[in-house]
Amino acid sequence: MIQTVCVAGICESSAALCGFMLGNLIPTPQFSDHAIPVSEQPAASGFWWECLDLGLLLVALVLASYFALVVRSRRSLFWLSAFSLVWFGFIRQGCVCSVGSVQNVAYAMTNASYAVPLTVIGFFCLPILFALYSGRVFCSGVCPLGAIQEMVAVRNVQIPKWIDHGLGLVPWIYLGAAVIFAASGGMFLICRYDPFVGFFRFNGNAGMILFGTFLLLVGVFVGRPYCRFLCPYGALLSACSGVSRSNVRIPPGDCIRCGLCRDACPYGAIEPPTETATDQEAVSGKRRLMIVFAATPVLIIGLAIVGYRLGPALSGLEFDVQLASQLQHEAVDPQWPTNDASDAFRAAQGDADQLLLDAVATQHRYRYAGVGLGVWIALVVVGKSVSLCRRRQQDEFVADRSACVSCGRCFEYCPVEHAKQGVVGLPTIQGEHRP
């Protein structure tokens, strides 16, 4: 008993001593004079640097088109990718980026006071113009995000088509969310959740660094996972490439149906020859198409309602809404732990009522943004369903204009390509069709 009392007394004395020492050695910070710092944007690059970036982008796009459509050289495209990764990625640190420029354009279309820099307009428009003429050559050798994935794609495994189709919806949904949020004055999703910019700048959010590392590890076995299943700008380019004037064609001459190009493509972008649809298959396809059209209004209305209800939850990604919620919790529950943001807000004597009004306005705005996003997702699902109901007739292996990123891997495996270049004799044996 005596020992327990002594131990308790020693502990109390030690605690008091420690408190006295800490109080003198590490004084408690006072926030009474603290002012919340104003967010500062990084200084823009010099005018001539921006002109140089735009000029190099144009030259790189011309070279990528030449290497993919005329020379048909996988090696040249690879080295062009390496240059783009070094310049647009590590030296220019991923900014200006064509992928993120979508948000600048969307925001400028709804905010008259925001002027988009000409450089950003150039980075947004040039890859689209080239995609309309020569396919996704921007993805093949110019985009630093695609290049860093191309460098690690050494042991690719083709994934099942149903997974490819399902995950292929994500970039379109991401594109819609990024455009709607930016246009409504919200966050720039693409920039905030860029998985590779942290590598380019040798710093960044730990979560995004881990996500980028995960994508690169997956990219060793699954070709370009970000480009295929996440990139919103890639979705836009795929639509333009689908109606492009020219595109990568396999083979350059008569197809011998060997199927080597399809096996070599890590993106599942080579489509095999198809048989003529039977009468029963044609009727079945029309029936599925009618079901899709009949379900379209229900899907649009249902997802619009879901989007409206999810609006407040989506607004929780905004800092003002997070801070207002934190202050409300602290006001209701005295035991609720404070955080740095709420402490700084009180120390700066911020107007909590005004913050709450702003948060409510943000939630209201996000409700309408959620409706727009719901309608967009419904249209994406309908469009994908319609495309799956269609059956295209083709007699040889062809590159899917929308999915092909013009990487040139198929060139190296096509025997007709080798014969054209004089590497081997012209194949004479007709291979079997391998659907």
Side-chain angles (χ1 to χ4, degrees), residues 249-415:
R249 185 178 182 277
I250 298 298
D254 295 332
C255 178
I256 61 172
R257 298 188 176 187
C258 64
L260 291 175
C261 56
R262 180 191 58 182
D263 297 341
C265 179
Y267 313 118
I270 305 296
E271 296 181 343
T274 56
E275 303 291 344
T276 303
T278 63
D279 293 341
Q280 185 178 0
E281 289 174 336
V283 171
S284 178
K286 291 179 181 177
R287 187 182 299 121
R288 289 197 300 269
L289 201 59
M290 293 176 64
I291 293 174
V292 170
F293 286 141
T296 298
V298 178
L299 191 62
I300 290 176
I301 295 173
L303 289 182
I305 294 174
V306 171
Y308 181 80
R309 292 187 175 279
L310 287 178
L314 294 173
S315 69
L317 296 172
E318 294 286 350
F319 174 75
D320 289 348
V321 177
Q322 294 175 9
L323 180 57
S325 176
Q326 172 69 22
L327 293 176
Q328 275 194 316
H329 281 106
E330 294 176 12
V332 173
D333 183 4
Q335 302 301 321
W336 191 273
T338 63
N339 59 24
D340 293 341
S342 63
D343 290 340
F345 184 82
R346 284 196 199 84
Q349 299 180 350
D351 188 344
D353 293 335
Q354 184 60 45
L355 177 66
L356 185 59
L357 289 175
D358 292 341
V360 171
T362 301
Q363 287 185 336
H364 190 67
R365 192 172 71 244
Y366 267 76
R367 282 189 184 277
Y368 290 103
V371 172
L373 181 59
V375 172
W376 172 255
I377 293 174
L379 294 176
V380 168
V381 172
V382 169
K384 186 66 177 181
S385 301
V386 169
S387 71
L388 292 177
C389 291
R390 293 173 51 205
R391 179 165 178 168
R392 282 174 288 189
Q393 181 70 32
Q394 55 193 39
D395 300 326
E396 59 185 22
F397 286 87
V398 296
D400 183 335
R401 285 173 174 250
S402 298
C404 177
V405 296
S406 306
C407 68
R409 276 188 172 83
C410 49
F411 301 158
E412 295 183 334
Y413 289 85
C414 179

Side-chain angles (χ1 to χ4, degrees), residues 176-212:
V179 169
I180 290 172
F181 287 168
S184 62
M187 76 192 91
F188 279 19
L189 279 176
I190 301 173
C191 297
R192 179 178 291 190
Y193 299 108
D194 187 329
F196 300 121
V197 73
F199 294 100
F200 298 151
R201 300 175 183 177
F202 299 105
N203 62 28
N205 181 280
M208 295 313 300
I209 293 289
L210 288 175
F211 182 48

Side-chain angles (χ1 to χ4, degrees), residues 65 69 77 98 128 137 156 200 224 256-257 273 319 321 380 403 419:
S65 301
L69 302 183
L77 286 169
S98 295
I128 291 177
V137 291
N156 293 296
F200 298 151
R224 300 194 185 204
I256 61 172
R257 298 188 176 187
F319 174 75
V321 177
V380 168

Side-chain angles (χ1 to χ4, degrees), residues 220-236:
V220 175
F221 306 101
V222 179
R224 300 194 185 204
Y226 179 81
C227 298
R228 297 166 66 188
F229 308 128
L230 281 173
C231 182
Y233 194 66
L236 195 58

